[in-house]
Amino acid sequence: MAEESGSQRYYRAPCPGCGAPVEFRSAQSAYAVCPYCQSTVVRQGDTLARTGKMAELFDDFSPLQLFAAGRIQDKPFTLVGRLQYSYEGGRWTEWIAALDGDRTGILSEDNGAFVFALPFDLQRAAPPAADLRVGATAAFNGQNYTVASNEQVALVSAQGELPRLPALGRPFPVVELRNDKGLVLTLDYDADPPGAYLGRAVQLEDLQLTGLRDDSAKDEKGRSFNCPNCGAPVTVNLADSKSITCGSCHSIIDLSQGIGGELRHATQDEPVRPLIALGSMGQLQGVQWQAVGFQHRMGAAPGDDEQFGWDEYLLYNQKRGFTFLVDAEDGWSVVKPTTGAPTMTENGSSASYLGTRYQQQYAYNAETSYVAGEFYWQVQRGQKTFNRDFANGAALLSMERSANELTWSSGSKIDSAAVAAAFKLDGKKEMFKRSDATPLSSASKMGCGTIILIIVVILVLLIILSTCSSSSGAGSGYRSSGGSYGGYSSGGGHK
């Protein structure tokens, strides 16, 4: 039965499972899940047919919920459904947005942020998922993209009304491609031909959302459990956490499949004490952040035995999502995973993103050696990636590559004193100073004779060092710890 609600036309019919009313607010929605008995129904004209029963939703503690409304490009939309998926690295949620003119879009998670995407008509058939290897390039509708992830996923639950409904529990490939204009192209191989969606990054506060869940990030109901290693109580505070460490024994606990049942864990020896305490609040770049995760990582250039280390703090803001504060030998930086994928020259000497060219500074293998706190991706001690760090003045760009994923991050350098002040640690600001804080700034206070003497001494030392190196072979030289600028991500515009 069709009904009018203001200017919005919607459909309502009794559920064939329990008789309760099931509403369709979008003409594009062919499926729905009854909110009373969780029957899966398909719309056939003005009647509904039951096709099965939906599994129970897992509470992702998101601020989003059904019937939250907002605006995208000054056009209204309403969240009318959601799909919950699982993959090897954990779970994620897609929200179905009903737009004006009977169109639907998808608001999905993306490396701790969000992407808003619309259905995309491909001018040529999508290649088989197996042909789209991570790191390879492909052209669609005249645009070049880089394959950022290729994962096997499965639908685990759904809610509300849906334009499409993959078979429950049946794995299928999802491939995500990104380009240097900030676009994300997603190919869902749950049907033939695969569904295609094109989107770009959004911030929840820019969508002018109303009807959100109140204080969702502080709701800890059902999010506490006992550590599987030592039995101490562990509380999960964030919606998207896929890993957490025990505060008592420092074990890494895998939350990617939820906190029910047997939890996988890995013990850690020799705990590392972060300079910034986890749980601390700090204001950086005009945003209030909370330090929720910490990892220490080690790196070495291919074929080089010399190792270097750096620290990464995972920062969280409910409206902005996640960002990273990187503490490296050559200074501090604030960085965030990019939505798009920069273009890189064949030899890796430079990369371009959003109209800016960056020069490669370092290329190295990286490994996670210690973690603490909560993470939105499935973190593991010993996780390995190959990294490239690029720079353009104070602007930074970094690439991380693993077997199934290619992740880019961008950001900028930040003064160590600003970091100390942000977290109210001015009394320890000397501990925050790094090699970027050069003593040459005080040169104006020296006399010309003193400066000339320093230069002469430096030249003499350089001559001595070059003589030694010529007799002993080439060394590796000084290497900055650079930083991975983003860690191992959960990957993909959907995840």
Side-chain angles (χ1 to χ4, degrees):
M1 175 177 62
E3 299 186 15
E4 300 286 342
S5 176
S7 60
Q8 177 69 40
R9 177 182 174 89
Y10 66 95
Y11 293 85
R12 174 185 292 171
C15 171
C18 69
V22 177
E23 292 185 356
F24 289 81
R25 294 171 180 249
S26 171
Q28 300 299 312
S29 298
Y31 302 89
V33 178
C34 174
Y36 297 94
C37 71
Q38 281 70 55
S39 289
T40 305
V41 299
V42 59
R43 192 170 72 187
Q44 297 177 342
D46 287 343
T47 63
L48 302 179
R50 186 175 185 271
T51 61
K53 190 176 180 66
M54 184 54 63
E56 183 179 356
L57 290 162
F58 64 87
D59 193 345
D60 56 11
F61 293 82
S62 169
L64 303 175
Q65 64 180 350
L66 287 187
F67 310 126
R71 302 185 72 84
I72 181 78
Q73 296 179 348
D74 205 32
K75 301 293 184 182
F77 69 86
T78 303
L79 301 181
V80 297
R82 65 170 160 172
L83 298 162
Q84 294 183 329
Y85 294 96
S86 67
Y87 72 113
E88 186 179 9
R91 301 183 179 184
W92 84 95
T93 298
E94 293 179 355
W95 293 89
I96 307 302
L99 298 156
D100 61 320
D102 292 330
R103 296 183 302 156
T104 59
I106 296 177
L107 180 60
S108 57
E109 303 168 28
D110 177 52
N111 291 329
F114 292 89
V115 163
F116 199 101
L118 295 172
F120 187 61
D121 293 326
L122 298 178
Q123 294 175 353
R124 64 178 178 88
D131 292 348
L132 296 171
R133 295 174 293 102
V134 172
T137 58
F140 292 91
N141 295 19
Q143 291 271 5
N144 289 323
Y145 295 87
T146 300
V147 179
S149 69
N150 190 329
E151 298 277 2
Q152 287 287 322
V153 311
L155 179 71
V156 295
S157 191
Q159 181 187 31
E161 56 184 278
L162 312 157
R164 47 180 279 273
L165 186 63
L168 189 66
R170 186 179 70 189
F172 63 92
V174 170
V175 179
E176 300 210 342
L177 306 99
R178 301 168 183 252
N179 72 6
D180 60 351
K181 298 179 176 61
L183 296 175
V184 181
L185 175 62
T186 303
L187 301 176
D188 290 342
Y189 286 83
D190 60 308
D192 188 16
Y197 303 86
L198 187 66
R200 57 173 69 244
V202 294
Q203 293 185 359
L204 292 187
E205 58 187 350
D206 294 335
L207 296 178
Q208 305 173 43
L209 288 162
T210 59
L212 298 176
R213 292 170 64 178
D214 294 330
D215 298 324
S216 64
K218 299 179 182 178
D219 185 358
E220 299 178 0
K221 181 180 178 182
R223 299 285 283 175
S224 295
F225 61 93
N226 293 328
C227 172
N229 182 54
C230 71
V234 179
T235 298
V236 184
N237 296 307
L238 299 178
D240 302 318
S241 293
K242 302 208 172 41
S243 294
I244 192 170
T245 57
C246 173
S248 298
C249 69
H250 311 292
S251 292
I252 308 171
I253 305 169
D254 177 16
L255 304 178
S256 61
Q257 304 305 317
I259 62 175
E262 184 177 354
L263 292 170
R264 294 185 297 173
H265 71 283
T267 58
Q268 294 188 108
D269 299 323
E270 303 176 3
V272 179
R273 185 179 297 276
L275 185 57
I276 301 172
L278 295 185
S280 300
M281 305 295 294
Q283 184 149 344
L284 287 170
Q285 300 172 341
V287 179
Q288 187 78 4
W289 299 98
Q290 183 179 23
V292 298
F294 168 85
Q295 60 177 343
H296 180 72
R297 306 185 74 192
M298 299 297 294
D304 193 343
D305 294 334
E306 181 184 356
Q307 287 193 321
F308 51 92
W310 71 95
D311 296 332
E312 296 177 359
Y313 295 86
L314 180 62
L315 308 182
Y316 174 74
N317 174 278
Q318 185 179 8
K319 293 291 182 66
R320 298 291 185 92
F322 295 92
T323 197
F324 290 84
L325 178 63
V326 181
D327 176 10
E329 291 178 6
D330 61 346
W332 293 79
S333 56
V334 178
V335 293
K336 190 179 182 74
T338 65
T339 299
T343 56
M344 185 173 61
T345 56
E346 188 173 347
N347 62 2
S349 62
S350 66
S352 298
Y353 186 58
L354 299 178
T356 300
R357 179 171 291 276
Y358 300 78
Q359 297 299 317
Q360 178 178 289
Q361 307 296 303
Y362 313 104
Y364 53 96
N365 296 310
E367 181 175 350
T368 299
S369 59
Y370 186 82
V371 299
E374 296 184 44
F375 300 86
Y376 66 81
W377 71 94
Q378 188 180 350
V379 68
Q380 296 176 358
R381 189 174 183 178
Q383 253 171 4
K384 297 180 180 180
T385 59
F386 175 70
N387 297 9
R388 292 183 187 271
D389 293 341
F390 303 83
N392 181 332
L396 305 172
L397 190 67
S398 181
M399 180 208 78
E400 284 201 12
R401 182 169 181 172
S402 62
N404 295 327
E405 187 174 33
L406 180 69
T407 304
W408 288 88
S409 303
S410 66
S412 59
K413 297 178 182 178
I414 185 172
D415 184 70
S416 62
V419 177
F423 289 92
K424 298 179 174 58
L425 296 171
D426 302 79
K428 299 181 178 180
K429 63 181 180 180
E430 291 298 319
M431 300 175 64
F432 284 77
K433 288 185 177 180
R434 301 294 179 259
S435 61
D436 60 329
T438 61
L440 297 181
S441 59
S442 59
S444 60
K445 300 178 182 179
M446 302 180 184
C448 293
T450 303
I451 295 175
I452 293 173
L453 178 62
I454 291 174
I455 293 173
V456 170
V457 172
I458 291 174
L459 289 173
V460 171
L461 288 173
L462 288 174
I463 293 172
I464 294 174
L465 288 173
S466 63
T467 303
C468 293
S469 62
S470 63
S471 61
S472 61
S476 60
Y478 172 77
R479 182 176 303 282
S480 157
S481 60
S484 70
Y485 307 124
Y488 186 87
S489 82
S490 64
H494 282 325
K495 296 177 278 298

